[in-house]
């Protein structure tokens, strides 16, 4: 079963950043590499599997952090956009005449 292009790129990037031991056992993935050929060394060597798992989790977490959009619910009260009245006396919210 051939490996899809996006997965191939991700796995090769993990390999590039991995230790020399990992690079010795895990082949560079191309169009002719099967997922079985890639996975076999992982399951034969726990050290390699641990390194791959750590790299994969780091990659997933960092991509999720890059896509999360943090919003501030008080953003509308920021700086000059403050909807409260601000007169020269320093009162932020001055009531009208009673």
């Amino acid at each position: 079963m051939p490996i899809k292009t996006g997965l191939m790129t991700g796995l090769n990037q993990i390999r590039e950043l991995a230790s020399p031991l990992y690079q010795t056992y895990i082949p560079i993935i191309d169009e002719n590499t099967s997922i079985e050929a890639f996975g076999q060394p992982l399951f034969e060597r726990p050290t390699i599997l641990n390194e791959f798992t750590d790299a994969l989790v780091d990659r997933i977490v960092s991509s999720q952090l890059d896509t999360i959009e943090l919003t501030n619910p008080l953003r509308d009260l920021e700086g000059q956009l403050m909807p409260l009245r601000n007169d020269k006396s320093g009162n932020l919210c001055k009531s009208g005449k009673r």
Side-chain angles (χ1 to χ4, degrees):
M1 179 167 135
I3 299 176
K4 294 183 180 181
T5 306
L7 180 59
M8 185 184 331
T9 303
L11 294 175
N12 281 332
Q13 287 174 345
I14 288 173
R15 184 181 184 281
E16 287 174 16
L17 299 173
S19 69
L21 180 66
Y22 183 94
Q23 292 177 1
T24 301
Y25 289 106
I26 302 298
I28 294 176
I29 299 172
D30 59 15
E31 301 82 29
N32 301 318
T33 307
S34 69
I35 195 71
E36 293 84 9
F38 170 78
Q40 184 177 0
L42 291 175
F43 294 112
E44 291 175 352
R45 293 168 182 84
T47 307
I48 303 291
L49 180 60
N50 288 341
E51 185 174 351
F52 172 73
T53 305
D54 288 345
L56 186 61
V57 169
D58 288 346
R59 189 173 175 88
I60 291 169
V61 169
S62 67
S63 69
Q64 287 301 309
L65 290 176
D66 289 342
T67 59
I68 291 176
E69 181 181 332
L70 300 175
T71 58
N72 179 359
L74 301 176
R75 178 181 57 224
D76 296 335
L77 300 177
E78 200 172 69
Q80 297 297 322
L81 303 176
M82 194 176 333
L84 301 174
R85 182 176 172 198
N86 190 356
D87 60 8
K88 292 180 181 179
S89 68
N91 292 330
L92 290 178
C93 187
K94 190 173 183 180
S95 61
K97 293 181 183 179
R98 291 188 180 188

